[in-house]
Amino acid sequence: MNVDLTAGGSRGGTRLDPRAWTALILLCAANFMVILDSQAVILAAPTIAKSLKMTPSAAQWVISANLITFGGLLLLGGRAADLLGRRRLFLIGTALFLVVSLVSGLASNGEVLITARALHGVATAMMAPTALSILTTTFPEGRGRNKALAAWQGIAGLGATAALIIGGELVDHFGWRWIFLMNVPVAVAMLLAGPVLLTESRDLSVGRKYDVAGALTSTAALLLIVYAVTKAPDNGWTGSKTLGMFGGAAALFVLFAIIESRMESPLVPMRILRSGALVGGNLATVAIGMAVFGLSLCAAEYAQGGLSYTTLQYGVKGSPLPAMALISAFAGQRLIGRFGSRRVVAVCALLLIGGSLLLVQAVENGGSYGSIFAGLAVFGTGLGLGTTACSAAALSGIARRDAGLASGFNAAAFQIGGSFGIAAVTTVIVSHSVGASQQAAMTAGFKAGFVATAYFGAAALLLALIVIPGLRRSREAERAALAAQADQEVRDAGSVSVN
């Protein structure tokens, strides 16, 4: 039995409850705060390290601790939402987000801040996939959901823009602590509005049987692989520690697959992995995440290290990327309905490649702002199109009972891709920073970093063309999924009436 009290009714053409759009504002606000926080911390990391007298190796854990727990727990957070209640877990995650933001803002030393950032990853691993699963169960497939997803992805671009501008202003004029403390009133508002705007929904078809073994092995595997990627620039991609952690993660994934095949109520039902759209959409999301996080890191280091921009200057001048992502996310939702996710992702990938190569040219030409603006704007346009289309593909044809799990997959794919992108681009920049002078070495390193992000875009292009189903196949799969869902609901209703 699948209990869903959210607006939107069935996946057919039922009319949306007017509260759905109001609830969407709340869900987008949560996504905005998650993105704003993560981007602002990256921007403020050098200032935080100096203020708390942290060594460079310790300072990286302000970012890495959050990446590891967030990426490692997303899948579990998404499935827990299906079983325990989506609204309930969203509010619990928001409450924890409030507490750790306050602790981070008041941290007296690096150890306290790193611990708080790790707990912050736990909070956002509950908030992000749960909010996306509420969106998925609230808006039926089609134009309404595409619009909602465009708003979801577009607000992420707005959050990234705000992080660059507001974060830079806060750090330069009020201190780094305010990038955490500004979360507190927003989290309070979400906790007050959540019970009013959101109704509870969860999957009761499996009762209260929990796949503890599956949860432990999948979470441990994800944590290990994100940790391995985070430490790869220090340990070496082919070093024994890195290879050992990757091997351990692979062994845990094999064990997880064995456990899932034998469980009556598995954490990840194998049926969900038969969806070509889900698999293809998430693989492309990994590649796009690598490109986005990798280019963001390279651009920030180039602007502040190579061009000597202040934090605020980079925040303002770097805003074309997230601003164009915001605009193109809304344009993308119309293109998805007309051309299908595969073609839109392919166009996105070409724009990511083009934007990266324009930035390579900008570095070669000494970093004129016009050339940087062009590269960031083209790349941002691809980002908005791609993330919306990948999410639409990955969440299409998914039964309501699996909405949280599918959302967890999608959020985890982007996060893990981002971890790979940051680690890979860091390695590339360092290994290619050679030359007769410091300036020549920096130029070579940053050029190589932007070339790497172009390769990530090429990987997204290949995945889009090979793995994501075309428009006709996607519609056929969606119709089949809807029919199966309707049959399941009829069987569940019959089971309830018999009992």
Side-chain angles (χ1 to χ4, degrees), residues 374-441:
L376 292 176
V378 171
F379 191 94
T381 303
L383 170 60
L385 292 175
T387 50
T388 302
C390 285
S391 292
L395 299 173
S396 65
I398 298 297
R400 288 175 181 246
R401 58 181 173 175
D402 296 326
L405 179 62
S407 300
F409 268 120
N410 192 238
F414 192 71
Q415 188 69 20
I416 290 172
S419 301
F420 270 106
I422 287 175
V425 168
T426 298
T427 303
V428 168
I429 292 174
V430 172
S431 62
H432 286 78
S433 294
V434 293
S437 65
Q438 182 180 4
Q439 183 62 40

Side-chain angles (χ1 to χ4, degrees), residues 235-272:
N235 296 332
W237 286 93
T238 58
S240 58
K241 291 182 179 179
T242 301
L243 295 178
M245 286 187 282
F246 280 140
L252 285 169
F253 277 126
V254 171
L255 179 59
F256 172 70
I258 295 172
I259 292 170
E260 297 305 277
S261 66
R262 298 179 179 179
M263 290 292 295
E264 179 183 351
S265 302
L267 175 69
V268 180
M270 292 298 105
R271 66 177 181 276
I272 200 173

Side-chain angles (χ1 to χ4, degrees), residues 36-425:
L36 175 67
D37 179 273
S38 62
Q39 292 295 314
V41 172
I42 293 175
L43 188 70
T47 304
I48 293 172
K50 183 177 180 181
S51 173
L52 296 180
K53 297 180 174 58
M54 302 172 70
T55 64
S57 60
Q60 74 163 339
W61 282 100
V62 175
I63 300 172
S64 298
N66 177 70
L67 282 175
I68 291 169
T69 52
F70 185 31
L73 296 172
L74 275 167
L75 187 60
L76 180 58
R79 194 52 172 165
D82 291 333
L83 299 177
L84 298 177
R86 299 181 179 102
R87 183 181 71 175
R88 177 187 299 174
L89 202 67
F90 175 77
L91 294 176
I92 292 172
T94 302
L96 181 58
F97 180 85
L98 187 159
V99 173
V100 297
S101 294
L102 186 60
V103 173
S104 297
L106 300 177
S108 58
N109 56 60
E111 290 77 9
V112 172
L113 181 58
I114 291 170
T115 301
R117 294 304 295 169
L119 290 174
H120 181 274
V122 177
T124 50
M126 289 191 280
M127 289 175 65
T130 304
L132 186 55
S133 68
I134 293 173
L135 183 154
T136 303
T137 56
T138 298
F139 293 88
E141 286 188 30
R143 183 175 298 177
R145 181 184 291 181
N146 289 342
K147 287 182 178 179
L149 286 172
W152 172 268
Q153 298 294 354
I155 206 68
L158 184 60
T161 305
L164 293 175
I165 299 174
I166 298 174
E169 182 72 18
L170 286 174
V171 171
D172 283 352
H173 292 89
F174 299 98
W176 62 267
R177 297 181 185 278
W178 283 97
I179 67 174
F180 301 113
L181 295 176
M182 68 177 176
N183 296 334
V184 174
V186 180
V188 170
M190 289 194 294
L191 286 173
L192 294 174
V196 177
L197 297 179
L198 305 176
T199 49
E200 188 60 281
S201 63
R202 61 181 178 272
D203 176 24
L204 297 182
S205 62
V206 294
R208 287 304 178 100
K209 299 176 181 178
Y210 296 102
D211 179 10
V212 177
L216 290 175
T217 51
S218 63
T219 300
L222 287 171
L223 287 170
L224 192 57
I225 197 169
V226 176
Y227 180 75
V229 169
T230 303
K231 295 295 292 181
D234 295 328
N235 296 332
W237 286 93
T238 58
S240 58
K241 291 182 179 179
T242 301
L243 295 178
M245 286 187 282
F246 280 140
L252 285 169
F253 277 126
V254 171
L255 179 59
F256 172 70
I258 295 172
I259 292 170
E260 297 305 277
S261 66
R262 298 179 179 179
M263 290 292 295
E264 179 183 351
S265 302
L267 175 69
V268 180
M270 292 298 105
R271 66 177 181 276
I272 200 173
L273 298 179
R274 300 190 189 105
S275 169
L278 180 141
V279 173
N282 284 324
L283 287 176
T285 298
V286 171
I288 292 173
M290 292 177 69
V292 171
F293 278 74
L295 184 133
S296 296
L297 174 71
C298 192
E301 291 195 2
Y302 175 59
Q304 296 181 68
L307 301 178
S308 300
Y309 285 3
T310 66
T311 304
L312 182 57
Q313 282 178 325
Y314 172 66
V316 174
K317 292 186 176 182
S319 61
L321 192 160
M324 290 307 301
L326 171 64
I327 295 170
S328 62
F330 285 96
Q333 60 90 13
R334 292 182 176 272
L335 297 176
I336 294 167
R338 185 172 181 181
F339 299 107
S341 294
R342 179 169 69 180
R343 292 182 180 179
V344 176
V345 175
V347 171
C348 146
L350 291 173
L351 290 171
L352 297 182
I353 295 169
S356 298
L357 295 179
L358 284 172
L359 288 170
V360 172
Q361 193 68 31
V363 176
E364 287 183 345
N365 295 337
S368 69
Y369 181 63
S371 57
I372 293 174
F373 181 96
L376 292 176
V378 171
F379 191 94
T381 303
L383 170 60
L385 292 175
T387 50
T388 302
C390 285
S391 292
L395 299 173
S396 65
I398 298 297
R400 288 175 181 246
R401 58 181 173 175
D402 296 326
L405 179 62
S407 300
F409 268 120
N410 192 238
F414 192 71
Q415 188 69 20
I416 290 172
S419 301
F420 270 106
I422 287 175
V425 168

